[in-house]
């Protein structure tokens, strides 16, 4: 039994005769009588990082571009096409300034006249930071988009953190509030979400320290930041490794003052180099939501246990405030660069014949999101939907990144590409409901060594864990008024539709005989297909207002994500 989804034991995998396409049978049973809980819109959040592969400069800010807002003013240089697409999507929140960039960042470098701001050697990514996009620009950009800002402090100086909250949120008359007024914003911004540090467990961070030291610092930061504004919501750092040793002192010392614990998880695909030898890595990609599901469940239960041990009234929620799937390539390939049409620019690569497995890999930050990635994202959203029934649910999530650097939008001098992931976010945040329902799936599956994200074994291979991978993955939701039933389904099968009967509350024939259908991937043959400026809608949502579903039957196309919407009254 799958505790997150309440799924019954799956039938053994069904063999397919060689050379023949086969339609197999499955059953999806939706329980509309016992909702699991409310899905927070903040799980569809995003992430921008300064000095990071075109997130900001060349992304949301592109001074001098004919596609950008002219100056002067705090909005000068904002890419208007990016703003329009972000508004169209409806972004709930954005995390900034990082990421790794956070730990050495001094927020006062990024306020005031842009022309006088200091240019700094940026120590996280080894670049130079102009500071032309700072606090006021970010908060103005969020206001234009309609997104809640999520500011992250490096947790290295309590005074610095307190003054940042004072600058943004305090209504009185102080030196910092006068500076805010001088910079064009007389009233407080009212920033609600604040992160206390970023990955301090990692030696790659400035301010890296043991758990006990971080816990003490987080407590002091939280206490005094709340003195400035008691209404803020605080996200402290959890850890993906040695979780009990890290999380226990954080909860014991700071647990009563925080609202969330963060968790960072990444998937990985090797297709940028293995596809050259005929391996598109598809099965490994679409199975990795199971890794996310297990890690989130395990951490949620640990947080509950340690919260009780610490004497907390209730455990903090989880914030998956960094997640994505990384496209990995050999580290000795020529450095990737952004292509004018989107994706990675053409470059001269080894012919690939007889190549050994590379021992060192790196992330291609310009590689476009593919159809296979889209199925991965949908599977992760199903996991996030079902965490509402966990004692420490995921109530915020932020994908890395929103713009460029493997983001939803690929921004180039000639325009913006809606990547495949943009359409997944649109499908889930705008066409599913906020109330999660128990959803049981019975159908075909396969056994597999499920890749444990981007964690390597040291020999170029990935850590794996045996698992059963259902071909159908489903998440049912209700509208807030209970009148519309949404069923989101991923068919992970490479080349076979799955004929399915949809059952409501244990009864056949209890779903309407027609549905509104949106799907992604059903009309695409290439599993690594991606969008570009010249071919912008290769992977996109197709909408059919009325589709027959007689007796609850529907054929879910191969390698697709589908959302059915039924009117219940």
């Amino acid at each position: 039994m799958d505790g997150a989804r309440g799924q019954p034991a799956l039938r053994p995998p069904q063999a397919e005769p060689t050379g023949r396409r086969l339609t197999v049978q499955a059953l999806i049973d939706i329980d509309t009588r016992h909702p699991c809980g409310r899905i927070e819109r903040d799980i569809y959040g995003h992430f921008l990082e300064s000095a990071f592969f075109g997130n900001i400069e060349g992304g949301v800010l592109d001074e001098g571009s004919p596609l950008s807002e002219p100056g002067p003013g705090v909005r000068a240089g904002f890419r208007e096409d990016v703003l329009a697409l972000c508004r169209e999507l409806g972004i709930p929140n954005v995390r900034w300034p990082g990421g790794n960039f956070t730990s050495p960042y001094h927020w006062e470098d990024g306020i005031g006249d842009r022309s006088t701001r200091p240019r700094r050697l940026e120590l996280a990514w080894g670049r130079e930071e102009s500071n032309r996009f700072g606090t006021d620009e970010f908060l103005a950009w969020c206001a234009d988009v309609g997104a809640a800002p999520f500011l992250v402090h490096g947790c290295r100086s309590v005074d610095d953190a307190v003054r940042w909250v004072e600058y943004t949120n305090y209504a009185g008359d102080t030196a910092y509030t006068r500076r805010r007024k001088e910079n064009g914003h007389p009233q407080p911004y009212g920033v609600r979400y604040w992160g206390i540090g970023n990955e301090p467990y990692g030696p790659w961070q400035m301010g890296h320290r043991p758990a006990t030291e971080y816990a003490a610092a987080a407590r002091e930061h939280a206490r005094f930041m709340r003195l400035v504004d008691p209404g803020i919501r605080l996200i402290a750092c959890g850890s993906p490794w040695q979780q009990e040793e890290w999380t226990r002192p954080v909860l014991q010392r700071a647990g009563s003052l925080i609202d969330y614990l963060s968790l960072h998880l990444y998937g990985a695909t090797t297709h940028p180099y293995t596809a050259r030898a005929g391996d598109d890595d598809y099965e490994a990609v679409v199975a990795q939501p199971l890794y996310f599901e297990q890690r989130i469940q395990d951490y949620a239960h640990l947080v509950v246990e340690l919260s009780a041990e610490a004497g907390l009234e209730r455990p903090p929620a989880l914030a998956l405030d960094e997640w994505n799937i990384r496209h990995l390539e050999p580290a000795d390939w020529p450095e990737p660069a952004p292509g004018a049409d989107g994706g990675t620019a053409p470059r001269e690569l080894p012919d690939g014949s007889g190549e050994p497995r590379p021992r060192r890999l790196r992330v291609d930050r310009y590689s476009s999101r593919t159809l296979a990635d889209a199925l991965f994202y949908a599977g992760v959203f199903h996991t996030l939907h079902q965490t509402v029934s966990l004692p420490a649910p995921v109530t915020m999530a932020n994908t890395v990144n929103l713009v460029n650097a493997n983001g939803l939008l690929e921004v180039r001098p000639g325009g913006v590409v809606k990547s495949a992931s943009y359409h997944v976010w649109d499908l889930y945040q705008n066409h599913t409901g906020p109330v999660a329902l128990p959803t049981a799936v019975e159908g075909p599956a396969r056994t597999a060594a499920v890749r444990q994200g981007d964690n390597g074994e040291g020999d170029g291979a990935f850590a794996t864990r045996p698992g059963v991978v259902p071909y159908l993955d489903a998440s049912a939701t209700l509208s807030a008024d209970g009148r519309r039933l949404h069923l989101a389904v991923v068919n992970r099968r490479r080349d076979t539709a799955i004929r399915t009967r949809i059952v409501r509350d244990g009864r056949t024939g209890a779903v309407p005989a027609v549905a509104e259908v949106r799907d992604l991937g059903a009309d695409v043959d290439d599993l690594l297909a991606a969008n570009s400026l010249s071919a912008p809608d290769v992977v996109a949502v197709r909408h059919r207002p009325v589709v027959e579903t007689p007796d609850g039957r529907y054929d879910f196309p191969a390698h697709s994500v589908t959302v059915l919407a039924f009117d219940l009254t």
Side-chain angles (χ1 to χ4, degrees), residues 64-128:
S65 168
L67 300 174
S68 296
E69 185 168 329
V74 71
R75 291 172 170 80
F78 286 4
R79 277 286 290 257
E80 294 179 323
D81 49 355
V82 174
L83 280 170
L85 291 178
C86 290
R87 291 190 197 105
E88 177 185 310
L89 184 60
I91 292 171
N93 66 79
V94 183
R95 182 179 180 220
W96 177 86
N100 291 350
F101 180 87
T102 296
S103 61
Y105 181 59
H106 294 280
W107 67 271
E108 290 189 62
D109 287 347
I111 61 173
D113 186 344
R114 285 187 193 175
S115 65
T116 62
R117 294 179 192 176
R119 188 174 185 88
R120 302 286 190 194
L121 172 62
E122 194 283 309
L123 299 176
W125 302 107
R127 301 185 177 200
E128 293 182 2

Side-chain angles (χ1 to χ4, degrees), residues 1 8 16 32 39 47 93 155 161 253 259 316 383 387-388 404 455:
M1 181 72 79
E16 295 185 37
T32 62
I39 299 166
F47 183 106
N93 66 79
C155 194
R253 297 194 180 194
D259 301 288
T383 288
T387 68
V388 300
N404 290 330
N455 301 313

Side-chain angles (χ1 to χ4, degrees), residues 172-186:
D173 181 22
T174 70
Y176 281 98
T177 61
R178 289 174 187 173
R179 291 178 72 181
R180 183 188 69 225
K181 294 172 184 177
E182 291 168 0
N183 294 334
H185 208 275

Side-chain angles (χ1 to χ4, degrees), residues 346-360:
R347 50 189 165 150
E348 191 170 329
L349 299 175
D351 63 17
S353 59
E355 285 185 5
R357 184 168 63 196
R359 294 184 62 86
R360 292 180 59 247

